[in-house]
Amino acid sequence: MNTLALPSSLHITKNYSNGAFVETSKTFDNISPVTGKVLSRICEADKALVDATVQSARQAFNGIWGETTVEQRADYLLKVADIIERRFDDFIAAEVLDTGRPVEQAKKLDVYRGIHNLRTFAEIFKHEYSKTECFESHLADGSQLLNIIKRKPLGVIVSISPWNLPLLSITWKAAPALMAGNTIICKPSEETPSSATLLAEAFQEAGVPAGVFNVLHGFGRDSTGEWLTQHKDIDAVTFTGESGTGASIMKTVASEVKPVSFELGGKNAGIVFEDADFDKAVEGIIRSSFTNSGQVCLCTERVYVQRSIFDKFVKAIKEKTEQLQIGWSEDEKTFMGPLISHGHREKVLSYFKLAVEEGAQVVTGGGVPTFGDERDQGAYIQPTIWVGLPDDARCVTEEVFGPVCHIAPFDTEEEVIQRANNTDYGLAGVLWTTNLSRAHRVAPKINAGIVWVNHWFARDLRTPFGGNKLSGIGREGGTYSMEFYSEPTNISIRL
Ligand code: NAD
């Protein structure tokens, strides 16, 4: 069973606004997805606190933060990273208790990447942000102009993030936004408020000036998320979450023409060619379909396997999937924890039912595991594999966001490219093949922001990240983040 405990400062989880932790009268429960028990009480930011926070973020932007150099901002972020490293166990507890994920995953992915995001963006911006471009112009009258292109921050950024990778998502946005000289108000998901609040403690301890980094808790519609995105005095919104939520945020900011960066949903394809390293492909598709209980935007929910190895592949993946351990976060053997909530489990179970109605054959899973202990009150679900659905079935076209994939046979390269691209989404793809020419031929034809060949999920933070179509707008990562969080100004001087 789990023995982790939230740090006492989170028992009543407060908002962090203008350098201070603020309680509000309206609270909601943070529920453990492992046991269904209440972990902590969360203070929901009201409209007055949203207003006051935007105002203080504006003041900091116009004042003390606006006067910092990029090197000074990097020093602050590096201090925050060091504090997270020192309080590693607290961050692990926060992330694991809110989500129910395995401790091993939180160590190697979530908290590790939180630190890495801060350090990487600090270094990249230190080297790249103050680079300027110059253009000399020669005019018809013989005079000359010197055009100097300087980057400027946008102002007050609102970051709205999801529950699936909480610390990773928030640091992925806050680090480049702050390095560019913006101030930021972060609204973490109502399901995972803890690590964002610990991050605020780290910013406070690092001495980052009041108003620069803020965390407000609450929900989306008719709550903190909507009030922040509706606010007239914010300058841009960076959002990660469902495509439908992205569409409604876009409508909200449309009248003010605010810039948006959107990282949205996916219905990602995995393609296994007959020349793939069979065992690695089976293991790879299991990882890409079931990691984090399938709750990663990059997870594979549609698998296409070349017909000559289809039956062997389905048999092997069934066998290996049935050996996956579902259980306590602290058990080192646990591969999968629960889904994030009972509400989300209802949604995923409704797809399990729909798949059968649509004619799927359930290869494995399709239900809820039982443990005979308090985990039976949690939101656990079985990893599930379907075959036999047509390409236009809802279960093959809609994002489920659970530990589930549909496997279909294919015959030719051309056919599988067309079927992989036959989706409203365009986030990620994964190819398994040992044929180098084929890898080079097929990968660029997959309409997605990232295509992995013979691996999945590993990222270099300097590379662009984002999606096409319903999967998002824009790219973040490395200097691509700089493009969103700052804008170039042309200073044109007549010589
Ligand atoms: P969600 O859209 O329900 O919620 C995300 C955030 O938006 C939460 O903080 C929520 O409170 C807020 N929100 C909801 N409605 C809002 C509104 N009207 N105005 C302002 N804020 C609002 O998403 P989720 O369920 O938390 O996360 C899962 C989704 O996120 C999946 O679709 C997944 O694919 C996607 N995701 C995408 C990426 C990516 O990089 N492309 C990464 C992680 C998750």
Side-chain angles (χ1 to χ4, degrees), residues 160-164 187-190 218-221 225-226 229 239-243 245 248-249 263-266 297 399 401 427 465 471:
I160 311 259
S161 48
W163 45 258
N164 65 326
K187 197 210 79 68
S189 168
E190 54 275 29
F219 301 84
R221 199 166 288 286
E226 202 166 66
T229 52
F239 169 73
T240 302
E242 283 185 13
S243 303
T245 312
S248 67
I249 291 177
E263 295 176 347
L264 308 177
C297 54
E399 182 187 51
F401 217 56
L427 189 58
F465 181 81
S471 293

Side-chain angles (χ1 to χ4, degrees), residues 104-105 108-109 268 270 272 278-301 303 313 316-317 320-321 324 335-336 383 385 402-405 430 432 452-459:
E104 286 307 301
Q105 178 194 314
K108 291 185 189 129
L109 173 66
N268 309 304
V272 183
F278 187 84
D279 293 340
K280 284 189 182 152
V282 171
E283 195 269 335
I285 294 291
I286 287 178
R287 274 193 67 233
S288 68
S289 298
F290 304 139
T291 293
N292 206 32
S293 306
Q295 303 167 121
V296 181
C297 54
L298 305 162
C299 273
T300 308
E301 291 193 5
V303 183
F313 188 90
I317 199 168
K320 293 250 183 247
T321 300
L324 295 176
F335 174 79
M336 243 180 65
I385 298 172
V404 63
C405 66
V430 57
W432 290 92
W452 285 285
V453 180
N454 296 332
H455 76 121
W456 174 77
F457 209 25
R459 296 266 329 285

Side-chain angles (χ1 to χ4, degrees), residues 140-151:
D141 65 1
S143 65
Q144 278 187 42
L145 306 179
L146 181 63
N147 296 285
I148 304 167
I149 315 302
K150 283 179 86 74
R151 295 210 151 268

Side-chain angles (χ1 to χ4, degrees), residues 165-182:
L165 299 167
L167 186 67
L168 187 158
S169 301
I170 204 166
T171 48
W172 171 250
K173 294 170 178 306
L178 295 173
M179 282 306 302
N182 303 284

